[in-house]
Amino acid sequence: MLELFLTFFKIGMFTFGGGYAMIPLIEREMIYGKKWIDKDELLEIISISQMTPGPIAINAATFIGKKRMGVLGSIAATLGVVGPSLLVIIIISAFFAKSFLNPTMQKLFIGLRAGIAALILSSVIKLSKNTLVDKLSYSIFFISLLSLVLFNVSPIFLILFFGIGCILFFTIKGDR
């Protein structure tokens, strides 16, 4: 239980930029380091985490913790991943709130945002290698991407539309 908490505490401590930026570290720790899950399980966890309310990293920690050690494992993993952020927010609000206007801090955030964008792009590339496997998955990917970027379609609508659409498609086709 302590190992689960500390592993997710480390992920929460050393990842900036939110849940999507945490995916590469979750992947490295969970698949290659601890070997608690495999790539397919990570893709499933990320998919479910995106569909459920709340931040993706917290949802992923909760699912992985539950898989490892049941309800108590989900609590330990969730507390571990949110702990560092909570500590940082308390420290920032207590001591550094005015320093955000400081020009040096503004420059720091420019660098952090660029690095975070790279982490998120890295996650997209890694996830796409196991997800984009045929014409159908490529079609769904590009239609979704264009719908999100060009037409500002709700992600919830796309998830529901393609989820239900694929259930119907494969039921009628009798495949997979």
Side-chain angles (χ1 to χ4, degrees), residues 77-133:
T78 302
L79 290 175
V81 82
V82 300
S85 297
L86 181 61
L87 292 173
V88 168
I89 289 169
I90 290 170
I91 292 168
I92 287 173
S93 66
F95 300 107
F96 301 111
K98 292 181 182 178
S99 68
F100 286 116
L101 302 175
N102 180 310
T104 303
M105 290 299 286
Q106 294 296 317
K107 292 173 187 167
L108 170 72
F109 287 119
I110 290 170
L112 287 175
R113 285 191 297 264
I116 290 164
L119 286 171
I120 293 170
L121 181 58
S122 168
S123 296
V124 169
I125 292 168
K126 288 179 182 179
L127 290 173
S128 68
K129 288 179 183 176
N130 292 332
T131 304
L132 303 177
V133 295

Side-chain angles (χ1 to χ4, degrees), residues 10-87:
K10 181 172 102 174
I11 289 169
M13 180 64 85
F14 294 107
T15 308
F16 299 95
Y20 291 105
M22 288 182 173
I23 293 172
L25 191 52
I26 291 172
E27 177 184 27
R28 187 170 56 234
E29 286 293 319
M30 299 297 122
I31 295 172
Y32 304 110
K34 303 291 183 186
K35 298 183 182 355
W36 288 346
I37 60 173
D38 60 32
K39 285 184 180 184
D40 288 336
E41 288 174 304
L42 180 62
L43 288 172
E44 290 171 9
I45 288 167
I46 290 169
S47 296
I48 292 169
S49 295
Q50 290 174 327
M51 291 187 290
T52 54
I56 188 171
I58 295 171
N59 292 343
T62 303
F63 287 123
I64 293 169
K66 171 93 167 65
K67 181 183 183 307
R68 291 284 303 149
M69 304 191 83
V71 173
L72 291 178
S74 68
I75 293 169
T78 302
L79 290 175
V81 82
V82 300
S85 297
L86 181 61
L87 292 173

